[in-house]
């Protein structure tokens, strides 16, 4: 069974093809999600539907053509959408937290780290994040463009091992099933190439932004980040439960590598660190032998300048580099907390980004 799942719910699934939210079907999706939540799985809902909810709220029957009109509907509908999710999860005594993102929030290294900390903290406290693109303020230059690609980026940020894309189709077919009755479902995809992209059709519901093409783009991003991807119908019985249990459903795209290995490759591929953290003998041994995170108590000195989210070199007392990692504190902050116990960070700085300076999952031991 998967451990951390992103469930992307398309507008066509949330509305069941109508012009308003289908709350009776939403509660069925929540029931399945609650079942997994009770089993200890981490779950993130990436929800479309803000514009559709705004259209329903305002009884707006026109066809919005401008970005500002869509932003207006999203601004009105976002509150209705999150209230719907919140009320349904309340039936199962599960708290939710709203997270609105744009590509800029994920593309910038510091914002990426902040978004990741927020999502992981919500999950740590057993709160289900409800994520949507911040359509009310996003512009053409920074908006992701559809929640398929947003959900893939969220999977990268949250280190998920499954991205489940729920849509109005059973999965990816050999041709358009609406036009060709001989079309067959493709149960598993080994490679996303030009031939496969030509098979992908576009959305025919008129309710959503993305079609099958954007789902292939999302699948390519997510599997490169280490997550399996499943495209399936949101109206298939127990689709979330079946996908989580690795039962055959929809079309499956296998991950290329584990999320941890992908993240560590990005660390090595990054720019040469400007900063260096010198650690004592005990900390060096813990990093090399035990695979531990770097705590402030093990830091003896800081050289160079770096910000939170920057790569740093970690060296032993003799000056030999033993690791490279992403620092959760800037150099000024690291200087102040060097040698202190983790539970004293809050008292020293007046705030804390967690008990470690470099987490073991953000570190390559050389």
């Amino acid at each position: 069974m998967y451990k951390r799942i992103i469930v992307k719910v398309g507008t066509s699934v949330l509305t069941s093809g109508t012009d308003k939210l289908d709350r009776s079907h939403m509660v069925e999706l929540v029931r399945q999600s609650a079942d997994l939540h009770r089993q200890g799985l981490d779950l993130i809902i990436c929800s479309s539907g803000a514009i559709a909810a705004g259209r329903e709220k305002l009884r707006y029957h026109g066809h919005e053509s401008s970005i500002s009109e869509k932003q207006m509907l999203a601004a009105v509908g976002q509150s209705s959408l999150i209230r719907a999710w919140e009320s349904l999860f309340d039936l199962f005594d599960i708290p939710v937290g709203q997270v609105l993102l744009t590509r800029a929030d994920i593309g910038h290294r510091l914002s990426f780290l902040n978004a990741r900390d927020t999502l992981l903290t919500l999950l740590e406290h057993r709160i289900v994040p409800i994520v949507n693109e911040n359509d009310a303020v996003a512009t053409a230059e920074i908006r992701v463009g559809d929640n398929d690609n947003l959900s893939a980026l969220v999977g990268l940020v949250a280190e998920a091992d499954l991205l489940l894309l729920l849509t109005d189709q059973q999965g990816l077919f050999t041709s358009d099933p609406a036009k060709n009755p001989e079309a067959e479902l493709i149960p598993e995809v080994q490679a996303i190439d030009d031939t496969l992209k030509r098979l992908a059709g576009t959305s025919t519901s008129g309710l959503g932004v993305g079609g099958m093409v954007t789902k292939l783009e999302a699948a390519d991003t997510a599997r490169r980040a280490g997550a399996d991807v499943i495209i399936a119908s949101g109206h298939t019985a127990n689709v979330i439960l079946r996908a989580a249990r690795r039962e055959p459903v929809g079309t499956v795209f296998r991950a290329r590598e584990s999320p941890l290995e992908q993240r560590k490759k990005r660390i090595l591929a990054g720019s040469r660190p400007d900063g260096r953290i010198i650690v004592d003998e005990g900390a060096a041994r813990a990093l090399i032998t035990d695979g531990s995170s770097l705590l402030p108590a093990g830091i003896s000195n800081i050289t160079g300048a770096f910000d939170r989210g920057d790569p740093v070199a970690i060296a032993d007392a003799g000056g030999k580099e033993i690791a490279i990692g992403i620092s959760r504190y800037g150099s000024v902050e690291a200087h102040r907390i060097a040698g202190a116990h983790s539970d004293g960070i809050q008292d020293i700085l007046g705030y804390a980004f967690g008990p470690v300076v470099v987490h073991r999952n953000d570190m390559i031991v050389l």
Side-chain angles (χ1 to χ4, degrees), residues 220-241:
D220 197 32
T221 298
R223 63 195 290 268
R224 289 175 184 274
D228 283 353
V229 181
I230 297 176
I231 300 175
S233 169
H235 286 82
T236 296
N238 290 319
V239 62
I240 299 176
L241 295 173

Side-chain angles (χ1 to χ4, degrees), residues 94 149 355:
I94 297 175
N149 283 305

Side-chain angles (χ1 to χ4, degrees), residues 266-283:
R266 289 196 298 273
I267 294 173
L268 282 178
S271 58
R272 177 67 188 169
D274 293 325
R276 172 179 282 206
I277 298 176
I278 312 300
V279 300
D280 60 30
E281 182 180 347

Side-chain angles (χ1 to χ4, degrees), residues 110-277:
L110 179 57
S111 297
F112 178 99
L113 195 60
N114 290 337
R116 190 182 75 176
D117 285 352
T118 297
L119 289 171
L120 296 185
T121 302
L122 286 168
L123 294 175
E124 180 184 350
H125 288 81
R126 306 303 296 152
I127 299 169
V128 174
I130 308 293
V131 180
N132 199 350
E133 185 174 6
N134 196 357
D135 292 311
V137 299
T139 65
E141 288 75 21
I142 64 174
R143 57 179 282 113
V144 174
D146 63 88
N147 277 340
D148 293 323
N149 283 305
L150 175 66
S151 64
L153 295 176
V154 171
L156 187 154
V157 172
E159 305 160 18
D161 52 4
L162 173 65
L163 169 61
L164 174 59
L165 299 171
L166 297 182
T167 182
D168 54 3
Q169 299 294 322
Q170 296 293 327
L172 184 64
F173 285 79
T174 53
S175 61
D176 188 347
K179 299 178 180 178
N180 180 11
E182 303 298 322
E184 297 180 355
L185 178 69
I186 302 173
E188 185 168 337
V189 170
Q190 300 297 331
I192 299 177
D193 52 22
D194 290 339
T195 301
L196 192 68
K197 292 176 182 177
R198 283 194 292 270
L199 293 177
T202 58
S203 174
T204 57
S205 66
L207 296 170
V209 176
M212 197 60 72
V213 171
T214 63
K215 289 171 179 56
L216 288 186
E217 293 172 351
D220 197 32
T221 298
R223 63 195 290 268
R224 289 175 184 274
D228 283 353
V229 181
I230 297 176
I231 300 175
S233 169
H235 286 82
T236 296
N238 290 319
V239 62
I240 299 176
L241 295 173
R242 291 170 61 187
R245 295 167 183 161
R246 299 178 184 265
E247 296 177 9
V249 61
T251 300
V252 181
F253 303 75
R254 298 297 178 191
R256 296 182 62 172
E257 291 180 275
S258 73
L260 183 60
E261 290 306 312
Q262 271 294 334
R263 186 164 65 257
K264 290 190 174 184
K265 281 187 176 182
R266 289 196 298 273
I267 294 173
L268 282 178
S271 58
R272 177 67 188 169
D274 293 325
R276 172 179 282 206
I277 298 176

Side-chain angles (χ1 to χ4, degrees), residues 19 50-62 64 73 77 206-207:
D19 57 358
I51 293 175
R55 194 183 293 118
E56 175 188 355
K57 181 76 172 179
L58 296 176
R59 295 181 176 86
Y60 189 89
H61 300 297
E64 67 281 354
L73 293 175
L207 296 170

